[in-house]
Amino acid sequence: MRFGYFDDANREYVIETPKTPYPWINYLGNESFFGLISNTSGGYCFYKDARLRRVTRYRYNNIPVDNGGRYFYINDNGDVWTPGWMPVRKDLDAYECRHGLGYTKIRGERNGLSVSQLSFVPLKFDGEVHQLTIKNKSNGEKHFKLFSFIEWCLWNAWDDMTNFQRNFSTGEVEVEGSAIYHKTEYRERRNHYAFYWANTPVDGFDTDREAFIGLYNGFDCPQAVLAGQATNSIAHGWQPIASHYFDLTLKAGEEKTIIFVLGYVENPEEEKWESLNVINKKRAKAMQEQFKSPDQVDKAMQELRAYWDELLSVYVLKSDDDKLNRMVNIWNPYQCMVTFNMSRSASYFESGIGRGMGFRDSNQDLLGFVHQIPERARERILDIAATQFEDGGCYHQYQPLTKKGNHDIGGGFNDDPLWLILATAAYIKETGDYSILDEQVPFDCNPNNTATLLEHLTRSFYHVVNNLGPHGLPLIGRADWNDCLNLNCFSTTPDESFQTYGDPNGRVAESIFIAGMFVFIGPEYSALLRYKGRNEEADKADKLIEEMKQKIYEHGYDGEWFLRAYDAFGRKIGSKENEEGQIFIEPQGMCVMAGIGVENGYAIKALDAVKERLETPYGIVLNDPPYQRYDKSKGEITSYPPGYKENAGVFCHNNPWIICAETVVGRGTRAFELYKKITPSYLQDISDLHKTEPYVYSQMVAGKAAARPGEAKNSWLTGTAAWTFTAISQWILGIQPDYNGLRINPCIPADWKGYTVRRKFRGATYNITISNPNHVEKGVKSITVDGKEISGNILPVFNDGKEHDVQVVMG
Ligand code: BGC
Ligand code: NOJ
């Protein structure tokens, strides 16, 4: 069953009922100020950091689940309703929500009044704009009341939901005309305040929650709205809110537009105050000036549109498959931008207070984002690298506001360092900008202890080499990519974190996954050394990589597939000798992507084992059989009920590794089949089962052992976004940025006739037509560029600002 449809021309997903199987959300904002908004206008916003600068309050795990947001209440002669349906839940005569790129439009209609809400964060603007257009569609005049509503968060989201003994006394506001200012803690160390402003004179306002909602009422029946009258309350402590009140009359057919701006302002210390305890509103007023009229809103929307036109013009696919086109051209890159911005911090499944930017997550997110805004990718690489330690290890997470490593979680995740090499290589392949390697980057965020980025990559590479276990395979530390495979943890007490408990320095437990990564990513490191003319070091690196490969053949293969690990007692994990967890997906994907086993048939066997043992109609599960009981020698993976998360859920992030691996062995039909299984545009018709948004990937889909196989969770913030984009755009469609040009290497379903890709790359545009007259899955017979046949399959770098015609014939 579906709940909406794709409007590709407008790049929108159109939701036709507020009662989606779960709140279906969107993200507003591109750089500093961000909002999450659901199809019923729920959600919240923050400046840069969802934990430390939360602007509006949101209660996770609420009843009903999505309660709290930017609400607009109508009181039409006693008939109270909300155009987004929530929170009043009065039946609507018409409803539609359009989630677009960086904006959301919600329209609700009842008894002849139609209310359209357009919500977005303009480019380079630290605030949300909400434009409300109300139209009287009835035959007579309508007289009604309109109330806006948001609830302020007292900035630090963690403190805000725990420290009530203090917080109920600190809240402060100011009201001036149609602007409500939130200035809690501004009197002391904060240099920031927020405001909620309307471009139209108000007939009243409220800033105290109890005055507006009532102590015993809910969001669904605020007493001021029921009374049809604001109380002009001023909050002193308790819970500050902002609500504008308008008494409106519209003639038949008449329409009125009101613009609201919800903004965030920082003032330098010496400009904080206007007079004693009166905040300096200069910057806020300048922001308000920018959105006084609908023309200004239109212009800002056009700019936003143009911004996305530009970003999405870098890779444009034309194929016969609409579901594929819309993922490659619109939704997948969009989700890549969101994951790049948010890492795993704020979604409807991530509370915004638990985690900052993940080291491995951000490096992988970059793979799907780097072609969009390479400059931001560059900055990110340097930020991430600065959280690395001198020995090559690194903080597992860092805080986006401070960019400092997170001490609570620390380091010891032994896959982390290698991802930095992969991200740096991806950046250089996209841009040709080798200068990044010479940047001085701190260790442990200490500006007095720096080294070049290339030196950081050396530390990454040798962190693996210097930490090998009894079989010569990499030690796993706290965990590798699979955060829940905690082989050195041995936790028996509830509440101990699997991620931080135990000794990460165990010298026995080894990871075949990291070994595969080393062989996959290591060659990038040696290629960079060669570019720098450091051939001896590159030879040495290549030798170490080759040795690792041999170790995998010797100790990392189980006869039909790659082993997963050795535990702290040297026992095999992911082996046919095990009763449970006989086979894991991750090493099959990573090892074959690295080319391991292609020469001796191991690779094909491993991928066939994946098909036979792990594949389900909804994707490939992580392991099988699932663990049935908790085992402290394996850690968190065995804490999950069978079929969920890392214990045999379809953990979508690693599915694209198998997709890529299938292209390595030349099986394009198979690769694309697997792509379709997890790609949301193909799952629209089972939205009732799938539950999460049909326009973005989810982290996890319940596996075959679960109660409801196919049910997804954790939508939006997942490495699946970057990896599926990489898998489809580079490994299947075969347009691969490389150090010396654009490599053309498609691996597609045999029945495809062909497709075109328009790719902007290093200052030129390549119009690439791929035809497949002989219906092969892989192999390029000829390539002509601007009419001349080239040898090899790498398109040269033109950097001439021109369009180039590229004809590729497969065969
Ligand atoms: C989840 C993992 C996650 C880890 C760290 C675990 O509970 O299952 O997916 O990476 O926590 O936050
Ligand atoms: C989610 C985490 O963000 C990611 O870093 C990890 O690799 C996966 N879970 C698998 O455990």
Side-chain angles (χ1 to χ4, degrees):
M1 188 181 162
R2 50 171 86 184
F3 298 83
Y5 60 93
F6 288 94
D7 176 348
D8 293 333
N10 287 308
R11 300 193 298 228
E12 291 171 338
Y13 191 81
V14 188
I15 303 169
E16 297 170 295
T17 165
K19 291 180 230 174
T20 44
Y22 208 69
W24 284 0
I25 75 161
N26 193 13
Y27 283 82
L28 314 176
N30 301 300
E31 242 168 300
S32 305
F33 193 94
F34 299 102
L36 286 72
I37 184 165
S38 71
N39 58 312
T40 57
S41 205
Y44 63 99
C45 55
F46 59 91
Y47 174 75
K48 281 192 181 167
D49 190 315
R51 172 169 182 164
L52 300 176
R53 290 287 186 281
R54 183 99 42 121
V55 173
T56 57
R57 184 174 285 158
Y58 189 72
R59 290 171 190 75
Y60 275 90
N61 217 350
N62 213 332
I63 307 171
V65 64
D66 180 31
N67 212 9
R70 316 94 179 136
Y71 290 141
F72 296 98
Y73 294 92
I74 304 279
N75 182 335
D76 180 1
N77 288 303
D79 180 35
V80 171
W81 60 285
T82 29
W85 188 64
M86 282 288 279
V88 178
R89 281 171 290 145
K90 208 57 95 45
D91 285 341
L92 299 171
D93 301 330
Y95 163 91
E96 185 184 85
C97 168
R98 290 176 171 263
H99 284 318
L101 307 187
Y103 68 88
T104 286
K105 291 175 177 171
I106 298 172
R107 187 171 58 82
E109 216 175 290
R110 188 174 158 91
N111 291 337
L113 265 191
S114 157
V115 183
S116 303
Q117 168 189 345
L118 163 66
S119 298
F120 69 114
V121 171
L123 297 177
K124 310 265 170 232
F125 191 79
D126 292 331
E128 289 182 352
V129 171
H130 303 283
Q131 176 171 270
L132 218 64
T133 306
I134 311 167
K135 186 167 181 157
N136 178 1
K137 287 185 155 179
S138 75
N139 298 326
E141 186 172 274
K142 274 206 167 261
H143 177 206
F144 58 96
K145 317 289 176 69
L146 167 72
F147 300 79
S148 72
F149 172 83
I150 56 108
E151 186 178 11
W152 299 114
C153 180
L154 307 191
W155 306 115
N156 180 319
W158 170 254
D159 195 68
D160 183 69
M161 59 195 262
T162 49
N163 195 7
F164 307 110
Q165 60 81 25
R166 168 180 160 86
N167 295 344
F168 284 1
S169 293
T170 53
E172 289 189 289
V173 298
E174 281 179 38
V175 179
E176 196 185 285
S178 297
I180 296 165
Y181 294 88
H182 176 226
K183 59 171 184 177
T184 301
E185 289 189 348
Y186 187 76
R187 61 170 56 249
E188 28 121 351
R189 292 156 303 171
R190 294 192 182 276
N191 65 348
H192 44 269
Y193 63 81
F195 65 87
Y196 198 27
W197 166 84
N199 74 337
T200 305
V202 293
D203 297 301
F205 62 86
D206 271 294
T207 70
D208 177 69
R209 196 179 80 198
E210 190 174 324
F212 179 74
I213 291 197
L215 195 51
Y216 298 103
N217 297 34
F219 288 134
D220 58 334
C221 54
Q223 68 190 14
V225 178
L226 297 185
Q229 179 68 54
T231 75
N232 297 352
S233 58
I234 295 290
H236 299 282
W238 296 112
Q239 298 89 0
I241 57 140
S243 171
H244 306 93
Y245 160 61
F246 305 90
D247 188 340
L248 300 172
T249 304
L250 289 182
K251 294 200 202 68
E254 201 187 348
E255 190 177 277
K256 182 166 178 65
T257 297
I258 303 179
I259 301 166
F260 298 85
V261 176
L262 174 55
Y264 170 90
V265 174
E266 281 181 2
N267 277 336
E269 186 61 33
E270 56 296 350
E271 291 174 35
K272 271 180 81 167
W273 305 103
E274 210 168 281
S275 57
L276 181 66
N277 287 335
V278 177
I279 56 177
N280 178 347
K281 306 181 182 64
K282 212 176 88 202
R283 288 182 171 78
K285 286 182 178 163
M287 288 172 75
Q288 295 158 13
E289 281 298 313
Q290 279 180 260
F291 291 99
K292 284 181 111 162
S293 72
D295 293 349
Q296 292 168 299
V297 172
D298 287 351
K299 192 166 157 274
M301 276 296 285
Q302 276 162 25
E303 285 164 7
L304 185 63
R305 169 117 201 151
Y307 175 79
W308 276 104
D309 282 345
E310 183 62 31
L311 290 185
L312 297 181
S313 69
V314 180
Y315 194 118
V316 183
L317 166 71
K318 273 197 194 133
S319 78
D320 299 335
D321 182 345
D322 286 342
K323 295 187 175 97
L324 175 63
N325 294 338
R326 65 171 67 107
M327 285 316 294
V328 173
N329 297 335
I330 305 172
W331 294 100
N332 198 172
Y334 182 54
Q335 187 178 3
C336 286
M337 161 75 101
V338 171
T339 57
F340 179 82
N341 283 329
M342 298 287 127
S343 189
R344 305 297 170 267
S345 67
S347 73
Y348 267 30
F349 300 86
E350 302 272 14
S351 65
I353 53 179
R355 295 200 265 169
M357 314 293 284
F359 192 99
R360 79 159 81 86
D361 295 332
S362 290
N363 277 309
Q364 291 172 86
D365 290 345
L366 203 132
L367 305 177
F369 174 84
V370 61
H371 65 295
Q372 293 190 33
I373 314 181
E375 311 85 71
R376 288 189 64 203
R378 188 183 208 274
E379 184 192 347
R380 176 67 57 80
I381 289 171
L382 299 175
D383 287 347
I384 298 173
T387 65
Q388 189 171 33
F389 305 120
E390 278 187 87
D391 74 354
C394 42
Y395 280 106
H396 195 46
Q397 287 156 19
Y398 72 96
Q399 212 51 42
L401 194 73
T402 61
K403 298 188 174 175
K404 294 256 162 62
N406 177 345
H407 288 276
D408 294 345
I409 180 127
F413 295 78
N414 285 351
D415 63 316
D416 273 338
L418 288 176
W419 295 114
L420 181 65
I421 301 178
L422 188 65
T424 305
Y427 169 77
I428 294 176
K429 287 175 177 176
E430 180 66 36
T431 59
D433 171 21
Y434 287 90
S435 76
I436 192 172
L437 295 173
D438 303 323
E439 292 284 348
Q440 286 291 325
V441 184
F443 288 112
D444 196 0
C445 297
N446 176 359
N448 300 317
N449 182 15
T450 68
T452 62
L453 179 64
L454 184 56
E455 178 59 26
H456 277 263
L457 303 189
T458 301
R459 307 282 173 109
S460 286
F461 185 85
Y462 283 96
H463 188 265
V464 175
V465 178
N466 296 334
N467 290 285
L468 300 176
H471 299 92
L473 294 163
L475 294 169
I476 196 166
R478 292 208 177 280
D480 58 23
W481 172 88
N482 188 332
D483 268 329
C484 298
L485 200 58
N486 316 115
L487 305 181
N488 293 305
C489 179
F490 294 98
S491 172
T492 52
T493 308
D495 307 324
E496 281 163 0
S497 156
F498 292 106
Q499 259 80 59
T500 57
Y501 188 74
D503 178 10
N505 301 313
R507 307 301 295 179
V508 178
E510 299 167 296
S511 161
I512 283 100
F513 175 77
I514 301 180
M517 269 183 91
F518 187 77
V519 179
F520 177 57
I521 296 172
E524 307 292 357
Y525 169 63
S526 86
L528 296 174
L529 288 173
R530 282 189 208 286
Y531 172 83
K532 286 278 179 192
R534 290 159 60 167
N535 291 327
E536 251 169 63
E537 286 166 78
D539 291 344
K540 184 175 158 204
D542 288 342
K543 199 167 146 267
L544 289 163
I545 295 165
E546 182 56 33
E547 278 168 25
M548 186 70 79
K549 190 166 142 190
Q550 294 310 322
K551 291 287 174 213
I552 296 175
Y553 286 148
E554 264 171 65
H555 302 294
Y557 200 70
D558 199 44
E560 282 169 86
W561 56 81
F562 293 94
L563 282 171
R564 179 63 179 85
Y566 287 94
D567 72 10
F569 306 100
R571 299 175 304 198
K572 289 176 186 169
I573 292 183
S575 159
K576 56 181 176 297
E577 292 166 21
N578 301 128
E579 208 179 305
E580 297 169 342
Q582 292 176 337
I583 172 170
F584 280 68
I585 187 174
E586 307 101 309
Q588 322 313 326
M590 193 49 75
C591 291
V592 179
M593 279 166 77
I596 304 166
V598 175
E599 58 202 0
N600 59 11
Y602 283 11
I604 291 272
K605 268 202 208 169
L607 293 176
D608 288 347
V610 167
K611 181 171 170 60
E612 191 189 312
R613 292 168 173 261
L614 300 178
E615 195 172 331
T616 80
Y618 309 109
I620 307 165
V621 296
L622 193 144
N623 57 303
D624 196 68
Y627 294 106
Q628 299 289 339
R629 47 191 96 68
Y630 178 63
D631 174 352
K632 67 173 189 243
S633 74
K634 299 193 179 66
E636 185 170 1
I637 185 166
T638 60
S639 76
Y640 283 113
Y644 295 96
K645 293 279 289 183
E646 281 88 341
N647 188 16
V650 175
F651 209 98
C652 299
H653 184 143
N654 48 40
N655 276 234
W657 295 340
I658 300 295
I659 298 173
C660 296
E662 285 288 357
T663 69
V664 171
V665 301
R667 300 197 294 202
T669 306
R670 184 83 192 110
F672 192 63
E673 210 172 270
L674 292 171
Y675 172 83
K676 286 198 288 191
K677 285 196 169 180
I678 58 160
T679 292
S681 55
Y682 296 91
L683 305 175
Q684 200 187 199
D685 291 331
I686 56 158
S687 283
D688 45 339
L689 167 67
H690 192 71
K691 258 183 125 121
T692 53
E693 298 89 337
Y695 39 92
V696 291
Y697 290 93
S698 294
Q699 182 208 56
M700 199 247 346
V701 175
K704 55 187 173 180
R708 269 188 300 281
E711 181 187 78
K713 292 190 185 112
N714 299 12
S715 55
W716 283 98
L717 304 185
T718 160
T720 315
W723 272 107
T724 40
F725 188 75
T726 306
I728 188 71
S729 66
Q730 298 194 29
W731 299 68
I732 294 181
L733 299 171
I735 315 296
Q736 308 170 347
D738 211 331
Y739 295 109
N740 300 319
L742 207 49
R743 182 188 299 276
I744 306 296
N745 186 21
C747 183
I748 57 173
D751 61 3
W752 281 16
K753 289 196 289 284
Y755 54 96
T756 70
V757 174
R758 187 176 155 83
R759 178 65 155 93
K760 289 190 186 160
F761 179 71
R762 299 201 209 165
T765 302
Y766 300 73
N767 294 309
I768 308 165
T769 303
I770 303 205
S771 36
N772 187 21
N774 299 321
H775 290 284
V776 299
E777 289 181 295
K778 197 171 179 168
V780 166
K781 200 161 78 185
S782 71
I783 300 183
T784 48
V785 180
D786 298 326
K788 281 190 220 85
E789 183 151 353
I790 62 165
S791 68
N793 63 347
I794 299 193
L795 309 181
V797 175
F798 289 109
N799 200 5
D800 57 3
K802 294 196 180 129
E803 307 256 335
H804 297 275
D805 176 67
V806 181
Q807 299 292 330
V808 179
V809 181
M810 293 180 68

